Structures are given as structure tokens and as C-alpha cells.
């Protein structure tokens, strides 16, 4: 059974149809790269998967559970959507860290807020927070930030901020980790730092969906590639097929234009 199934997803903003009939599936432990020109719908698709936008039509399933169905109003209640967001971790292109919190506090924040719903929260508050802090320290150590976890975002480089953002996304142990152009705000040296972290996660069989313009990286790290244009999936398949022998003319034009940049 696929870990993620998307069926006939549609999304419009006013009269503009941004996503049209998007369908695909992803197996556990695989990496899916979404490629295409700016404005092709990639980020909107990612936001729909994370329930930051609500699709107008379609179905989203994780591990066989229907998280969203346009035909089922119960799946669209905000109380349900808050729970369903926990299946996904999202890393934004501009980090979106809270400037008033240290790196460690940014990673701890979501788990601390969720801990308040535990029945034994008041009795075990200190113990619960100690466990959350230990997990945050472990994640930041994995990101190579052991000596920077008490720094605030303005004291960190862009690459370090993005690694904090990755640790924060991993803190809730999501089924699927999503990246929205994770290197677009970084210079080449810092880009390499972040791509190495993502490669390491791929080698650990983390299921990921990555919106990226790093074509060489997408070809190297992905199990599956989707090329989008004008809100549609134009072509999808294994990276060697999409990058090496694209079947669609629009895919060929995009890859040629990208190589010429």
C-alpha cells in the first residue's frame, strides 16, 4: 500500500485554476521531486498536502486513511485538519523560524504546545519537557548544530537556519517530510550543506516530497519525478526516464531551458 495517495486534486484561486486533476502515489521510504517552472502549481500542491490550502476537489490519503475528501465535509473540519497535519512535516524556503526563540526552542515549540493535551500533563510537566528538550538536542546534533542550539535565528547563517527548520519539521516524527524550494534563499556553499542533510535523510529511508530547481540533485536523490506545467502533471516517472528520455515536448523544453540558464 502506498504511504501517500493523491487523486484528482483541483484547486482554484478566484477564476484561476492552479491545480488540475493531480493524481499520483508515493511508496514509504521514497523521495518524490516536483519540478517545473515558477507558477506551475508545485508549491500550491505542497500546501494542499499540508492543509495550508484546502483543495476544491479530490482525495488525499496517508497509509490508507482518507485525510481529505471533497465529498466528505467531516474531513474538512478544522479540528480534524489540525490532527491530520501531523502526518506531514514542512520545510519552507525562507525558514519561517520564530525570531524570539533560540534554535532549540524553535524545535521544541510544537511538541510543547501539543503536550498540553496529554491527560497527565500537569502532573508530569517537568518530565515531559525534559524529554522534549532531549529530543530537540538530539535532532540539532544530527543537523551539525550541537554548538549553535542556543543561538537565535539572526545569529545563524541561512544554511544553519534551514537545518534548524528541518530539525523542527522532524520533531513530530511525520510520515512524510515536505520541502518547498529549501535552497532557493541560499548561496551555493550553503546550498550544499542543506542538500547533504536531505541526502542523509534519503539514505535513512525518510519519505519525502521535494519542490526543487536543483535538477542534478533531483535526478540523483529521487525515486520518482513529477514535471508540472500550468497546474497539471505533464510527465512523471523514474528520474532516469524523465531527465534522460522525456516523452513530452513540454518536459524537453523545460529541461533544455533549465540547462541553458
Amino acid at each position: 500500500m502506498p504511504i501517500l495517495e493523491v487523486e484528482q486534486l483541483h484547486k482554484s484561486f478566484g477564476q484561476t485554476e492552479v491545480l488540475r486533476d493531480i493524481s499520483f502515489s508515493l511508496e514509504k521510504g521514497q523521495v518524490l521531486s516536483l519540478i517545473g517552472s515558477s507558477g506551475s502549481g508545485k508549491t500550491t500542491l505542497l500546501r494542499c498536502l499540508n492543509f495550508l490550502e484546502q483543495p476544491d476537489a479530490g482525495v488525499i490519503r496517508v497509509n490508507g486513511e482518507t485525510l481529505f475528501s471533497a465529498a466528505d465535509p467531516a474531513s474538512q473540519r478544522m479540528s480534524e485538519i489540525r490532527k491530520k497535519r501531523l502526518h506531514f512535516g514542512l520545510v519552507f524556503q525562507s525558514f519561517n523560524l520564530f525570531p524570539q526563540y533560540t534554535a532549540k526552542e524553535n524545535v521544541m515549540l510544537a511538541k510543547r504546545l501539543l503536550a498540553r493535551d496529554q491527560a497527565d500533563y500537569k502532573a508530569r510537566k517537568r518530565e515531559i519537557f525534559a524529554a522534549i528538550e532531549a529530543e530537540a538536542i538530539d535532532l540539532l546534533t544530527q543537523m551539525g548544530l550541537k554548538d549553535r542550539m542556543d543561538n537565535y535565528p539572526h545569529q545563524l547563517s541561512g544554511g544553519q537556519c534551514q537545518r534548524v527548520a528541518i530539525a523542527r519539521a522532524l520533531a513530530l516524527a511525520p510520515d512524510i517530510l515536505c520541502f518547498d524550494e529549501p535552497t532557493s534563499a541560499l548561496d551555493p556553499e550553503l546550498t550544499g550543506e542543506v542538500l547533504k542533510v536531505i541526502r542523509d535523510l534519503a539514505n535513512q529511508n525518510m519519505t519525502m516530497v521535494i519542490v526543487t530547481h536543483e535538477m542534478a540533485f533531483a535526478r540523483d536523490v529521487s525515486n520518482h519525478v513529477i514535471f508540472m506545467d500550468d497546474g497539471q502533471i505533464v510527465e512523471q516517472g523514474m528520474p532516469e526516464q524523465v531527465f534522460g528520455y522525456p516523452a513530452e515536448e513540454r518536459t524537453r523544453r523545460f529541461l533544455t531551458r533549465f540547462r541553458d540558464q
Side-chain angles (χ1 to χ4, degrees), residues 97-113 128-141 143-156 160-161 163-172:
L97 299 178
F98 292 99
Q100 70 272 35
Y101 296 134
T102 65
K104 183 172 64 178
E105 289 167 342
N106 266 278
V107 176
M108 293 174 61
L109 182 60
K111 290 199 83 167
R112 289 186 65 167
L113 293 174
I128 291 170
F129 279 15
I132 292 172
E133 182 178 25
E135 291 173 3
I137 291 171
D138 183 56
L139 283 168
L140 287 167
T141 301
M143 296 294 122
L145 297 170
K146 182 178 181 180
D147 298 327
R148 305 304 298 271
M149 60 182 67
D150 292 322
N151 291 130
Y152 291 89
H154 74 273
Q155 298 172 312
L156 302 172
Q160 290 168 336
C161 283
R163 283 182 276 156
V164 173
I166 294 171
R168 180 181 61 182
L170 289 169
L172 296 175

Side-chain angles (χ1 to χ4, degrees), residues 35-79:
I35 64 172
S37 300
S38 297
S40 60
K42 306 182 302 298
T43 292
T44 299
L45 172 55
L46 213 60
R47 290 177 65 84
C48 285
L49 293 180
N50 285 271
F51 299 102
L52 297 176
E53 302 287 352
Q54 181 167 299
D56 300 318
V59 176
I60 300 172
R61 295 189 191 91
V62 172
N63 289 322
E65 176 189 357
T66 299
L67 301 189
F68 175 86
S69 173
D72 179 13
S75 73
Q76 301 169 39
R77 289 197 296 261
M78 185 52 64
S79 58

